[in-house]
Amino acid sequence: MMTRSEIKAYLKRIGITDIQPPTLSYLTQLHRAHVSTISWQTIDIVAGRPAPIDLHECVRLMLSNRSGYCFHLNGAFSVLLRSLGFRVFWHRAGVQPLGQEPRINSFHLGLTVSLTNEQQQEQRYIVDVGLGDMPYDPIPLKIGSYEQGPLRYQVENSGVVQGGWRLVHDPHASFVGVDFAPDDLEDLEEFQPKHEFYSLSPESPWIQLFLVRHRHATGSNELRGCIWSKRDSDGIEKMELRTKSQWLEVLGDVFQEHLVNYSRLERDELWKRVWSYHEEWKKAKLK
């Protein structure tokens, strides 16, 4: 659990000034603030400096104006919510990329939060601040369709595991959906070898893919290498960032990624690496 000063520092990071009782309204406020303020990113993996995923380290990242990917973001957010009195549950989950089959492989940390409704009945909500362009609001763990801004989500029964559920992403999104196992986990040991693969293996999809994503009320943003994609109700607009200054400006102003853990020289090296990957990508497209 976090101390009161740590809770206040975390809330300040995401622009919230007050501590409230654990209600759906407050959960929604926290969720919106988190996904619009703290981006999902592979920056540290591409730079060869991955951060550990133990819960203390995850919280420290958030308090240090840094971020991470799903294990860091959902891990830290779960600690914050529990410290605020919410009942939070961890789940094994798996993201289904485009063109591939659904799976639950523990490469994603899923969260649910249990709240009591006006009829004194328990209602669970899917909470996820660790997917970049997924929900802006918590989604009831109930079969149905949910529209949030220009993005539409569907909750279904999982076809991968009995008793599980599936969150289908918007049809025009970067991946198909996520499946969740129903069992509540007691700790995050399940995810440690997955994090080691993601952050260290040459076969990891993130080793050479600089990717930053975040959600906001009317859409989402993504920076893939040097291509900035902006999604809103009018569709997707893409822009190539061709200079280091432009790239750093978008990172800071749009994604709130100020690379606080990197020196000026290290930022220069990171830009050179990302631009090199970008040039290779462009050449491959021409073949």
Side-chain angles (χ1 to χ4, degrees), residues 33-258:
H34 207 290
V35 297
S36 59
T37 304
I38 305 181
S39 297
W40 179 102
Q41 51 92 347
T42 63
I43 297 171
D44 297 329
I45 294 176
V46 172
R49 298 167 55 178
I53 62 167
D54 64 272
L55 292 174
H56 176 78
E57 177 64 18
C58 292
V59 170
R60 191 185 71 81
L61 289 173
M62 305 306 125
L63 299 184
S64 303
N65 289 318
R66 298 173 61 192
S67 59
Y69 69 129
C70 70
F71 300 136
H72 303 109
L73 298 170
N74 279 346
F77 193 50
S78 70
V79 177
L80 174 65
L81 292 179
R82 286 178 173 174
S83 300
L84 289 168
F86 288 95
R87 294 178 60 209
V88 185
F89 303 90
W90 294 319
H91 304 273
R92 297 177 56 244
V95 177
Q96 179 188 359
L98 295 172
Q100 298 187 32
E101 294 299 313
R103 77 287 304 273
I104 295 178
N105 54 7
S106 300
F107 276 105
H108 183 65
L109 166 61
L111 302 181
T112 56
V113 170
S114 177
L115 294 169
T116 303
N117 62 23
E118 295 178 353
Q119 290 74 40
Q120 298 304 303
Q121 298 171 324
E122 180 184 13
Q123 173 66 60
R124 284 227 191 176
Y125 290 84
I126 301 170
V127 171
D128 207 311
V129 300
L131 281 167
D133 62 348
M134 268 298 232
Y136 184 60
D137 294 340
I139 291 183
L141 185 44
K142 250 172 113 173
I143 303 300
S145 296
Y146 302 89
E147 291 191 13
Q148 297 181 0
L151 300 174
R152 185 172 73 254
Y153 309 102
Q154 183 84 19
V155 177
E156 304 174 346
N157 291 320
S158 174
V160 178
V161 61
Q162 186 173 3
W165 57 92
R166 175 173 172 79
L167 183 58
V168 181
H169 207 339
D170 187 87
H172 303 292
S174 56
F175 56 90
V176 183
V178 187
D179 283 83
F180 301 82
D183 304 324
D184 303 329
L185 298 177
E186 295 297 321
D187 57 53
L188 301 186
E189 289 302 312
E190 170 81 19
F191 304 100
Q192 186 58 46
K194 311 302 182 181
H195 169 62
E196 290 175 2
F197 173 83
Y198 264 155
S199 58
L200 299 173
S201 172
E203 298 178 5
S204 166
W206 309 135
I207 289 292
Q208 295 186 2
L209 179 56
F210 184 95
L211 190 58
V212 189
R213 290 176 176 147
H214 91 126
R215 184 76 161 83
H216 55 84
T218 58
S220 62
N221 283 285
E222 176 185 282
L223 181 58
R224 183 179 293 259
C226 298
I227 301 295
W228 174 24
S229 299
K230 296 178 284 184
R231 179 192 292 273
D232 57 24
S233 57
D234 295 325
I236 301 177
E237 178 186 350
K238 296 190 177 185
M239 177 187 302
E240 182 181 28
L241 308 178
R242 299 187 56 84
T243 67
K244 182 185 69 175
S245 59
Q246 187 182 32
W247 184 74
L248 289 173
E249 181 179 357
V250 169
L251 267 177
D253 293 349
V254 176
F255 296 93
Q256 303 304 311
E257 288 289 348
H258 298 284

